[in-house]
Amino acid sequence: MLIISQDRMTVVNLDAVARFGVSAIPVSASASRPDYEWAILADMSRPVNGAVLGRYTSKERAIDVLQEITTGYQKYIFGEGGPLARRELFFFFFDFEPTYFYTMPEE
């Protein structure tokens, strides 16, 4: 499964991600913005150390987006065209697996 970052500048293969989660990132404080944002980060194997997939103003929104990613991955693997959804096991190794894209939503 591929995840397209919120700024559309990065594509992350979920199979290459060691872990991903929600983390607070400090930003400059002002009257219109909090002093930190909540980001979804992906720690990937080498050569790339990590990537910010999306930034959100509330922790709850970031957790909701993380849940959308995990639900999409579960559907990809187990139900909607993923490798374990195959019925013809004899042809399993010869089938083309469609790539599932998840685009990070804006706020």
Side-chain angles (χ1 to χ4, degrees):
M1 183 170 123
L2 301 177
I3 300 174
I4 302 169
S5 67
Q6 195 177 50
D7 63 4
R8 310 302 189 255
M9 300 292 285
T10 305
V11 176
V12 173
N13 183 345
L14 198 55
D15 293 334
V17 173
R19 63 184 178 158
F20 66 101
V22 175
S23 180
I25 295 181
V27 295
S28 60
S30 71
S32 62
R33 292 177 63 177
D35 57 350
Y36 59 88
E37 293 177 322
W38 293 92
I40 296 180
L41 303 174
D43 291 333
M44 297 174 288
S45 57
R46 292 186 175 148
V48 180
N49 292 329
V52 175
L53 300 177
R55 296 174 185 261
Y56 302 96
T57 56
S58 73
K59 182 178 180 180
E60 293 77 20
R61 176 64 178 142
I63 291 172
D64 287 345
V65 172
L66 186 64
Q67 184 61 43
E68 289 176 19
I69 294 170
T70 56
T71 300
Y73 188 69
Q74 289 172 345
K75 287 180 182 179
Y76 168 71
I77 292 296
F78 297 110
E80 296 179 1
L84 296 180
R86 302 278 188 257
R87 292 190 180 145
E88 304 87 16
L89 295 178
F90 179 77
F91 296 105
F92 175 76
F93 295 107
F94 302 104
D95 282 350
F96 171 75
E97 291 182 24
T99 303
Y100 179 79
F101 291 91
Y102 179 84
T103 303
M104 296 295 291
E106 297 296 326
E107 188 63 39

